[in-house]
Amino acid sequence: MNVRWGIVLAFAAMSLTPVAGRADESTGPPAHIAAAQAFLLAWGHGQWEELSGVAADAVPVKLGEQVFTLEPASRKAEVMLQFPFRGLATIRNGAEVKGVTVSELAVRVGDKEMRGPATVMLKEEAGLFRVTEVALDGAR
């Protein structure tokens, strides 16, 4: 009878090892991707408090030659994000995160909508990322 319990306990111990190993892994996206995603979602929904937490005081939004301003603290936006956006990927300079590319982003200025790939530039301060600039490349 003791041999059977030894086998059962051995199998139980082997099956718990991978679960314990996975507990150390992060379950969410990297901090810079989470910050860019939080910025885009807050901007699109007009959630100014959340936007202030992940953005600089004034964020220039470049649409080709035109530059518009997004000011979360003042609750002012000359340009608004339109949903959906998709395809977030990291921009690095060596090991340093510089920003996030967005494969498709849409913005509205007045009654005109522009869509295309975009770049969301980030700055890290004390382990937290803040959006400093948005550029829509090749808007159509």
Side-chain angles (χ1 to χ4, degrees):
M1 188 95 154
N2 287 337
V3 174
R4 287 184 186 165
W5 279 109
I7 293 171
V8 169
L9 289 175
F11 280 119
M14 289 183 340
S15 66
L16 290 178
T17 303
V19 173
R22 278 186 254 140
D24 294 338
E25 296 175 13
S26 175
T27 57
H32 61 281
I33 296 289
Q37 184 176 22
F39 170 83
L40 294 170
L41 289 171
W43 180 21
H45 288 295
Q47 297 171 329
W48 298 104
E49 292 81 23
E50 290 84 2
L51 193 59
S52 294
V54 291
D57 293 336
V59 178
V61 180
K62 298 177 181 180
L63 306 176
E65 299 293 321
Q66 297 178 312
V67 179
F68 299 92
T69 305
L70 177 64
E71 298 176 29
S74 303
R75 297 178 179 235
K76 294 181 184 176
E78 298 175 332
V79 59
M80 285 303 297
L81 177 81
Q82 300 293 299
F83 291 110
F85 62 87
R86 65 181 124 247
L88 303 180
T90 305
I91 301 170
R92 294 183 186 272
N93 183 6
E96 183 181 5
V97 173
K98 292 297 200 175
V100 172
T101 60
V102 184
S103 62
E104 185 176 5
L105 184 76
V107 295
R108 180 174 298 279
V109 179
D111 62 346
K112 185 177 179 183
E113 183 177 298
M114 291 174 261
R115 183 174 297 275
T119 305
V120 177
M121 298 306 292
L122 300 166
K123 182 175 183 179
E124 183 181 9
E125 295 174 346
L128 299 174
F129 287 92
R130 291 185 156 298
V131 174
T132 58
E133 178 183 304
V134 176
L136 192 66
D137 309 317
R140 51 182 193 279

